[in-house]
């Protein structure tokens, strides 16, 4: 009996690179070689700028062609686009393999790569972009046994449906989902339909993708529009300069090569200067968006502090001076609305909805799913609601409180797991995601929309719609290299020529974005052909999506049948690799702006299947998105673990994270409310492990009266059955550290303690403040509070703060929005301690971890190097503060009248 298609995927293993789940798709070459990711972005090396524009180039030609086109990447080195991509991919995947070895996981030999849909942007070269892209990526990843691809919006749908199991998607009713993946390089739109069971449509393995489109308009495009705005703002005369306009056209075409001798040298200089402005605009955009609390289109953004970007005063000069030009939130909103939304995104969404309308047969779109880092720009949702309300009358826009940048890689992992579980079938393999239409014109008489009758093979079904050969969601896996043949009767005999237009869900031959056969659009009729008004049309589809058209005249007329071949073109079809289930996969979200990696093995899928029968696992999975970051991150790793040995270690880490949070919260509250100057509770915490943390929590709670303990969630742990459960677990995990046999029912224990933590989070936020400054003509301060909730950042739940106090960015606080109070839990938790110690990697949350002979040590939530704090070093003031804590429990203050308003 075939397995049930429901597979409970409770968590996904995201593999960090350089300690980060999200890796910038960037590389920087230097005299010693190259670095990638965050190290490439942060390196202070103006002589060797980083490169971040090589993904889209992989589809602009075949491997020999691209390999011969070299560009200077450093003073003495030239590399091609495929060479640059190979350096980045090889380095990143080597890190993934090392991580797997370190965690006793055999590195997979199979890779599932996220890909854009077929690009429909005429500024990009060639109708064969996707075929070139797949071929080049397979050449780069040649050491893997199998490289397959999944369109990014379909990965998004899989994550919402089977990973996060959002109730709007997983409930047992029919859904029509509009999926928007708004990343760094492309904006992908698709419509996907499910059955009434919420699972696979048509009783087959493919969910029904009814229409789809991809345009090269996303994060990079926004940065370019910002850079152009700032360039013209720095000098209005620039906008009238023809050479500048010419240079911008070359740069925006995507065809610029700094070693192209046919281009005026001063244009090369200009583009080099402009590229630096574009890269600076990325940081400016993120800084502004991170500070916005209210995304309403009419919100007053005048109070937001502008961000300054350096713009060259002489853009054609190699060593130009620069001027700092300000960019404020209102200007960014106007750029986004007018240049990005109105001119590009709105039309793309409307076009896909129009394409899908015929297939939907009146069924409305029920849900809109968002993904991609650029979806964190909240104006996108507001503009959809304002301008597309008539098309989306019955739709609800779903927003997750987690990082949009990881959704694709998590969706890849979900698809990988389902491919194993469904014996290699998957849900989106070798399937058309737009209707294949054919418009014909005999002898130039005009386009005719004729009905096609299927002839071969015998089980080929008529589409039932004029001018449509194959409907969207048609599976072609079983039809590769077969001749598919239809008969059509025209209004006149094409005695001289036959004009033909293969279209994607369009009946307008002038729709340039809908054209599939771009190069050849007509064939001449053979002089010896004898036939009437009826002709045959055939297609032979290869596994790579190439379609070879043929037109047959005089079928059945003895030996006088004549065939004319058209030029091959490429279908809008998902990849067809992956015939059978394999033991393990790497999910590789190769994004234009950022990349991320997931890992799924056969043992993971077996564990997912077993856990699907246990309701406790589903409860733990539900808690990941609502628990504080230091707990949620450990719980997500525990849920993603499949091996028994590692599962124990992960379970212990979750237990310690919960005890740490409760102990540090309770101890900080004790210092603030009671101020017992004679006590020194913190002195006994020599290491942040289960035993000492449990002792600190119990001792601190013992300082409260029974009445005071009623308002403290952690006090439940002193009551039965929780006390015996936790106390026994703490003793058992201590045995394991001393190589003794330990038995712990972590599922039961973690379910109890995680729910206790969650119960205490009503009206409670855990995080830090950003951009706190004094309001003009007021004694009050304002800023943004970032709630550290969920398994990893960036943390998108923001609150607007107004109050009488200023807070440092490194302070970590627990804010009660009901009582409007803020409790400082620093220096037990510190945000961005790595930056204070001179580390330029992205900030993370650090926790006091223990006492060392020469000082103290902190550990990060993510896999990072520990930070030592010693007397006399750059963190000497922190050493003094901790030293004082070891002597006595010094009193602290609870800040009151802290006004918090959640960002809309």
């Amino acid at each position: 009996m075939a397995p049930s298609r429901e597979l409970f995927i409770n968590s996904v293993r995201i593999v960090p690179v350089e300690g980060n789940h999200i890796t910038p798709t960037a590389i920087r070459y230097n005299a010693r070689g190259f670095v990638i990711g965050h190290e490439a972005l942060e390196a202070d090396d103006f002589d060797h700028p980083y490169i971040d524009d090589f993904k889209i180039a992989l589809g602009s030609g075949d491997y020999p062609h691209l390999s011969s086109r070299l560009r200077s990447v450093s003073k003495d080195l030239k590399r091609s686009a495929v060479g640059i991509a190979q350096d980045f991919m090889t380095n990143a995947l080597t890190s993934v393999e090392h991580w797997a070895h370190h965690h006793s996981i055999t590195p997979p030999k199979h890779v599932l790569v996220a890909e854009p849909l077929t690009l429909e942007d005429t500024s990009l070269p060639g109708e064969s972009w996707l075929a070139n892209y797949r071929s080049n990526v397979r050449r780069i990843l040649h050491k893997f046994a199998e490289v397959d691809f999944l369109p990014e919006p379909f990965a998004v749908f899989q994550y919402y449906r089977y990973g996060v199991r959002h109730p709007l998607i997983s409930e047992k009713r029919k859904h029509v989902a509009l999926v928007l993946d708004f990343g760094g390089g492309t904006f992908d739109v698709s419509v996907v339909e499910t059955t009434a069971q919420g699972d696979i449509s048509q009783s087959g393995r493919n969910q029904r993708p009814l229409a789809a489109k991809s345009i090269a308009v996303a994060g990079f495009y926004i940065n370019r529009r910002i850079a152009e705005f700032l360039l013209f703002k720095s000098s209005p005369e620039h906008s009238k300069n023809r050479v500048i306009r010419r240079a911008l056209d070359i740069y925006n075409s995507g065809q610029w090569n700094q070693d192209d001798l046919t281009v005026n040298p001063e244009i090369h200089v200009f583009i080099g200067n402009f590229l630096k402005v574009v890269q600076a605009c990325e940081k400016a955009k993120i800084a502004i968006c991170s500070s916005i609390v209210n995304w309403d289109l009419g919100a007053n953004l005048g109070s937001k502090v502008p961000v300054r970007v350096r713009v060259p005063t002489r853009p054609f000069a190699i060593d130009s001076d620069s001027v700092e030009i300000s960019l404020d939130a209102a200007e960014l909103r106007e750029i986004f609305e007018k240049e990005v939304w109105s001119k590009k995104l709105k039309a793309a969404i409307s076009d896909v909805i129009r394409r899908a309308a015929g297939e939907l047969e009146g069924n409305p779109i029920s849900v809109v799913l968002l993904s991609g880092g650029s979806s964190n720009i909240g104006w996108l949702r507001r503009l959809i609601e304002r301008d597309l309300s008539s098309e989306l009358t019955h739709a609800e826009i779903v927003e997750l409180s987690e990082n949009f940048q990881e959704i694709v890689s998590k969706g890849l992992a979900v698809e990988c797991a389902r491919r194993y579980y469904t014996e290699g079938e998957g849900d989106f393999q070798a399937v058309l995601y737009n209707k294949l239409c054919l418009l014909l014109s005999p002898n130039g008489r005009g386009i005719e929309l004729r009905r096609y009758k299927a002839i071969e093979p015998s089980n080929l079904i008529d589409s039932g719609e004029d001018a449509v050969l194959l409907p969207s969601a048609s599976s072609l896996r079983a039809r590769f290299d077969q001749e598919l043949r239809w008969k059509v009767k025209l209004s006149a005999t094409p005695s001289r020529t036959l004009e033909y237009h293969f279209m994607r869900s369009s009946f307008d031959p002038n729709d340039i974005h809908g054209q599939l056969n771009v190069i050849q659009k007509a064939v001449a009729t053979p002089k010896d052909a004898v036939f009437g008004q009826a002709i045959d049309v055939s297609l032979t589809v290869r596994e790579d999506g190439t379609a070879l058209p043929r037109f047959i005249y005089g079928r059945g007329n003895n030996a006088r049948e004549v065939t004319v071949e058209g030029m091959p073109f490429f279908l809008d079809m998902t990849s067809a690799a992956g015939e059978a289930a394999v033991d393990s996969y790497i999910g590789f979200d190769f994004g234009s702006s950022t990349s991320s990696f997931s890992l799924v093995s056969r043992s993971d899928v077996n564990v997912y299947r077993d856990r699907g029968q246990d309701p406790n696992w589903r409860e733990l999975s539900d808690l990941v998105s609502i628990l504080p970051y230091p707990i949620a991150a450990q719980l997500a790793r525990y849920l993603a673990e499949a091996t028994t040995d590692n599962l124990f270690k992960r379970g212990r880490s979750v237990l310690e994270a919960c005890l740490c949070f409760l102990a540090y919260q309770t101890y900080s509250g004790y210092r603030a409310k009671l101020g017992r100057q004679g006590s020194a509770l913190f002195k006994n915490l020599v290491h942040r492990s289960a035993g000492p943390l449990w002792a600190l929590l119990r001792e601190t709670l013992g300082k409260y009266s029974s009445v005071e303990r009623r308002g403290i969630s952690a006090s439940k742990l002193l009551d039965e059955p929780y006390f015996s459960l936790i106390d026994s677990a703490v003793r058992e995990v201590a045995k394991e550290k001393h190589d003794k046999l330990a038995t712990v029912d972590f599922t039961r224990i973690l379910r109890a303690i995680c729910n206790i933590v969650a119960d205490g989070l009503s009206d409670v936020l855990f995080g830090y403040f950003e951009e706190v400054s004094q309001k003009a003509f007021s004694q009050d301060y304002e800023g943004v509070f970032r709630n550290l909730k969920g398994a990893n950042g960036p943390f998108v739940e923001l609150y607007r703060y107004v109050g009488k106090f200023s807070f440092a960015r490194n302070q970590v606080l627990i804010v009660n929005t009901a009582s409007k109070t803020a409790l400082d839990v620093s220096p037990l938790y510190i945000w961005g301690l790595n930056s204070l110690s001179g580390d330029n990697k992205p900030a993370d949350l650090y926790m006091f971890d223990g006492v060392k002979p020469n000082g103290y040590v902190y550990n990060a939530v993510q896999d990072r190097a520990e930070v030592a704090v010693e007397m006399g070093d750059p963190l000497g003031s922190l050493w003094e503060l901790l030293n004082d804590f070891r002597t006595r429990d010094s009193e602290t203050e609870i800040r009151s009248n802290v006004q918090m308003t959640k960002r809309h």
Side-chain angles (χ1 to χ4, degrees):
M1 180 180 294
S4 167
R5 290 184 180 277
E6 282 292 341
L7 178 65
F8 171 55
I9 301 173
N10 55 287
S11 188
V12 171
R13 183 191 288 112
I14 300 295
V15 180
V17 175
E18 300 176 333
N20 301 287
H21 287 96
I22 301 296
T23 301
T25 308
I27 187 168
R28 187 190 297 261
Y29 293 87
N30 52 42
R32 298 181 301 276
F34 64 86
V35 293
I36 68 166
H38 290 289
E39 192 173 352
L41 295 186
E42 301 298 334
D44 188 13
D45 186 353
F46 293 102
D47 294 331
H48 304 96
Y50 67 82
I51 301 169
D52 60 357
D53 59 352
F54 50 88
K55 175 187 174 179
I56 296 297
L58 289 180
S60 61
D62 59 23
Y63 194 90
H65 172 71
L66 290 184
S67 298
S68 65
R69 296 182 59 188
L70 303 178
R71 59 184 286 189
S72 297
V73 296
S74 66
K75 188 174 182 180
D76 302 314
L77 180 63
K78 291 185 177 183
R79 293 286 277 165
S80 66
V82 289
I84 294 169
Q86 181 167 336
D87 289 341
F88 174 83
M89 291 184 184
T90 301
N91 190 288
L93 286 167
T94 297
S95 296
V96 172
E97 291 173 342
H98 288 166
W99 185 93
H101 278 301
H102 181 71
H103 290 83
S104 303
I105 300 171
T106 302
K109 295 299 182 184
H110 306 265
V111 183
L112 183 64
V113 182
E115 67 180 12
L117 300 162
T118 301
L119 285 169
E120 299 181 26
D121 191 329
T122 54
S123 67
L124 292 170
E127 59 186 75
S128 58
W129 186 93
L130 192 58
N132 287 331
Y133 175 80
R134 290 174 181 168
S135 175
N136 289 327
V137 171
R138 284 194 170 108
R139 286 284 295 269
I140 291 170
L141 302 179
H142 61 87
K143 77 170 187 175
F144 290 93
E146 177 187 289
V147 179
D148 198 7
F149 299 87
L150 182 70
E152 292 160 0
F154 300 159
V156 172
F157 183 85
Q158 292 295 72
Y159 179 63
Y160 275 97
R161 172 66 184 89
Y162 297 106
V164 71
R165 300 183 66 84
H166 195 282
L168 283 175
I169 306 302
S170 60
E171 61 186 356
K172 300 296 184 180
R173 68 182 181 90
K174 187 171 185 174
H175 287 288
V176 179
L178 175 67
V179 185
L180 308 178
D181 184 48
F182 192 20
T186 59
F187 180 64
D188 298 317
V189 190
S190 65
V191 173
V192 181
E193 183 186 46
T194 70
T195 63
Q197 288 71 40
D199 204 342
I200 304 167
S201 195
Q202 297 179 318
S203 300
R205 61 176 176 266
N206 297 310
Q207 314 220 32
R208 290 194 65 199
L210 302 184
K213 181 170 187 168
S214 181
I215 59 175
V217 177
F220 285 159
Y221 182 87
I222 298 171
N223 298 342
R224 292 171 182 175
R225 298 285 74 80
I226 296 171
E228 189 173 302
F229 169 81
L230 294 177
L231 177 68
F232 295 156
K233 185 178 180 180
S234 69
S235 174
E237 295 299 318
H238 288 337
S239 63
K240 304 174 184 178
N241 189 310
R242 292 185 178 181
V243 183
I244 288 180
R245 288 291 186 181
R246 165 69 175 157
L248 289 173
D249 288 343
I250 294 175
Y251 175 71
N252 290 327
S253 71
Q255 296 298 293
W256 174 65
N257 183 341
Q258 62 185 347
D259 297 314
D260 187 351
L261 299 180
T262 65
V263 176
N264 191 321
E266 67 176 3
I267 290 182
H268 285 304
V269 174
F270 172 89
I271 294 179
N273 287 330
F274 186 74
L275 179 58
K276 294 177 183 178
V277 180
V278 171
Q279 293 176 338
C281 288
E282 168 72 5
K283 294 182 178 180
K285 177 184 68 180
I286 293 174
I288 291 175
C289 290
S290 297
S291 70
I292 295 175
V293 176
N294 185 356
W295 289 102
D296 286 345
L297 297 172
N300 182 3
L301 301 175
S303 62
K304 297 300 176 185
V305 178
V307 176
R308 292 183 296 276
V309 178
R310 300 188 71 86
V311 177
T313 56
R314 295 176 295 121
F316 293 104
I318 294 178
D319 298 318
S320 173
D321 296 331
S322 60
V323 60
E324 291 188 342
I325 304 298
S326 64
L327 174 71
D328 62 38
E331 291 171 329
L332 179 58
R333 180 173 62 191
E334 183 174 8
I335 292 169
F336 185 83
E337 180 177 355
K338 292 184 177 180
E339 299 296 324
V340 181
W341 170 257
S342 296
K343 292 184 179 181
K344 299 291 183 178
L345 306 187
K346 178 182 175 183
I349 298 173
S350 296
D351 193 31
V352 170
I353 294 175
R354 176 191 58 78
R355 291 179 183 179
E359 301 284 354
L360 289 174
E361 299 178 343
N363 292 319
I365 292 172
S366 57
V367 64
V368 180
L369 308 179
L370 300 179
S371 174
S374 296
S375 292
N376 290 319
I377 301 176
W379 297 311
L380 177 63
R381 173 171 182 160
R382 300 299 189 274
L383 290 164
I384 292 172
E385 293 171 337
R386 186 192 73 183
D387 294 349
L388 298 175
S389 57
S390 60
E391 293 97 325
L392 302 172
T393 304
H394 303 283
E396 181 168 347
I397 301 177
V398 176
E399 286 185 306
L400 299 181
S401 60
E402 61 183 277
N403 180 10
F404 281 129
Q405 291 177 302
E406 287 188 359
I407 290 178
V408 171
S409 60
K410 290 178 178 179
L412 292 174
V414 171
E415 173 68 7
C416 291
R418 287 183 55 74
R419 286 190 181 189
Y420 179 82
Y421 190 63
T422 59
E423 300 178 350
E425 291 183 353
D427 289 332
F428 291 106
Q429 289 183 295
V431 60
L432 293 179
Y433 48 80
N434 283 306
K435 288 187 290 190
L436 178 61
C437 306
L438 177 58
L439 317 180
L440 298 176
S441 172
N443 293 340
R445 292 170 59 92
I447 295 299
E448 299 181 0
L449 305 184
R450 294 288 176 170
R451 184 69 60 92
Y452 294 92
K453 178 178 178 55
I455 300 175
E456 294 180 5
S458 58
N459 59 353
L460 184 62
I461 300 175
D462 292 344
S463 70
E465 186 177 359
D466 287 350
V468 176
L469 292 179
L470 294 169
S472 58
S474 296
S475 176
L476 298 177
R477 174 182 288 279
R479 304 195 186 280
F480 292 141
D481 300 319
Q482 294 182 17
E483 183 181 41
L484 310 181
R485 194 158 173 169
W486 297 264
K487 178 181 179 180
V488 61
K489 185 175 182 179
L490 302 173
S491 63
T493 301
S495 56
R496 298 187 306 275
T497 61
L498 180 65
E499 180 183 343
Y500 69 96
H501 302 268
F502 285 98
M503 308 291 295
R504 52 169 68 92
S505 299
S506 176
F507 305 106
D508 178 7
N510 297 314
D511 177 7
I512 59 175
H513 297 307
Q515 296 173 358
L516 291 171
N517 57 309
V518 176
I519 299 175
Q520 184 191 68
K521 299 182 184 298
V523 291
T525 304
K527 294 181 179 180
D528 57 346
V530 178
F531 62 99
Q533 294 172 249
I535 65 171
D536 287 2
V537 177
S538 84
L539 282 180
T540 302
V541 181
R542 302 192 188 113
E543 188 173 335
D544 65 355
T546 305
L548 177 64
R550 295 183 181 91
F551 302 94
I552 300 99
Y553 305 91
R555 175 174 58 89
N557 189 0
N558 297 323
R560 306 193 66 175
E561 179 176 300
V562 179
T563 298
V564 178
E565 291 191 356
M567 290 190 64
F569 63 93
F570 293 88
L571 294 174
D572 287 352
M573 186 186 79
T574 60
S575 177
E579 285 290 341
V582 297
D583 284 349
S584 56
Y585 295 87
I586 290 176
F588 181 8
D589 177 17
F590 178 43
S592 301
S593 179
T594 60
S595 296
S596 58
F597 303 86
S598 56
L599 196 152
V600 174
S601 67
R602 176 171 56 181
S603 59
D604 293 334
V605 180
N606 292 333
V607 169
Y608 293 152
R609 180 181 55 208
D610 295 340
R611 289 175 182 173
Q613 310 303 316
D614 186 347
N616 290 329
W617 281 98
R618 289 181 182 257
E619 287 191 31
L620 284 176
S621 178
D622 295 339
L623 287 170
V624 171
S625 63
I626 65 174
L627 287 172
Y629 169 50
I631 301 175
Q634 297 295 344
L635 181 58
R637 295 169 191 167
Y638 171 72
L639 293 173
E641 190 55 67
T643 61
T644 303
D645 290 343
N646 289 335
L647 196 63
F648 188 98
K649 297 175 183 177
R650 294 297 190 192
R652 182 184 67 205
S653 295
V654 183
L655 174 63
E656 291 175 345
C658 290
L659 291 173
C660 180
F661 182 83
L662 295 173
Y664 286 3
Q665 179 187 26
T666 306
Y667 173 70
S668 298
Y670 163 72
R671 290 177 53 227
K673 293 185 177 181
L674 302 181
R676 303 289 176 85
Q677 299 296 319
S679 65
L681 305 181
F682 190 70
K683 182 178 182 179
N684 297 322
L685 186 68
V686 295
H687 189 263
R688 187 181 54 88
S689 57
L693 288 169
W694 179 227
L696 175 63
L697 178 58
R698 287 186 290 122
E699 192 172 0
T700 304
L701 288 171
K703 295 291 185 179
Y704 288 86
S705 68
S706 58
V707 175
E708 291 168 332
R709 284 201 299 268
R710 292 175 186 171
I712 303 174
S713 178
S715 63
K716 293 180 182 179
L717 295 180
L718 299 183
D719 301 328
E720 295 296 346
Y722 300 116
F723 181 85
S724 296
L725 191 66
I726 302 303
D727 196 61
S728 173
V730 169
R731 291 197 303 271
E732 287 296 308
V733 297
K735 291 181 182 178
E736 191 269 344
K737 287 188 175 182
H738 295 89
D739 296 326
K740 296 180 179 179
L741 181 64
T743 304
V744 183
D745 184 356
F746 276 117
T747 302
R748 181 185 177 203
I749 293 164
L750 296 183
R751 179 172 176 267
I753 194 169
C754 285
N755 274 288
I756 286 176
V757 174
D759 289 343
L761 295 177
S762 177
D763 302 316
V764 171
L765 311 175
F766 173 79
Y768 63 93
F769 288 91
E770 296 177 341
E771 301 179 6
V772 177
S773 60
Q774 192 168 8
K775 296 177 66 176
F777 314 110
S778 172
Q779 296 299 312
D780 288 343
Y781 289 84
E782 63 180 356
V784 174
F785 184 85
R786 191 173 294 275
N787 192 21
L788 300 179
K789 182 177 72 172
N792 47 264
F795 304 96
V796 298
E797 187 174 296
L798 303 182
Y799 291 77
R800 180 174 180 263
Y801 158 68
V802 176
K804 300 292 183 182
F805 309 100
S806 178
F807 297 96
R809 181 183 176 92
N810 301 104
Q811 283 180 272
V812 178
L813 300 104
I814 294 177
V815 178
N816 190 306
T817 58
S819 63
K820 300 178 182 179
T821 58
L823 171 66
D824 190 358
V825 290
S826 300
L828 304 179
Y829 288 111
I830 299 177
W831 178 258
L833 182 62
N834 56 312
S835 59
L836 296 177
S837 64
D839 180 359
N840 291 326
K841 290 183 178 180
D844 195 21
L845 181 68
Y846 283 76
M847 304 157 286
F848 175 82
D849 194 57
V851 183
K852 289 293 179 72
N854 297 324
Y856 309 98
V857 67
Y858 282 80
N859 270 340
V861 173
Q862 301 298 336
D863 294 329
R864 301 280 190 87
E866 66 180 25
V867 175
V869 179
E870 300 179 359
M871 181 175 62
D873 67 12
L875 297 174
S877 58
L878 178 57
W879 179 89
E880 293 177 2
L881 182 60
L882 291 171
N883 224 36
D884 183 57
F885 266 50
R886 304 289 293 173
T887 304
R888 60 190 179 92
D889 298 320
S890 58
E891 187 174 1
T892 188
E893 179 182 357
I894 291 184
R895 305 294 188 181
S896 59
N897 294 319
V898 177
Q899 306 281 344
M900 305 289 283
T901 305
K902 188 174 182 179
R903 184 179 77 177
H904 300 296

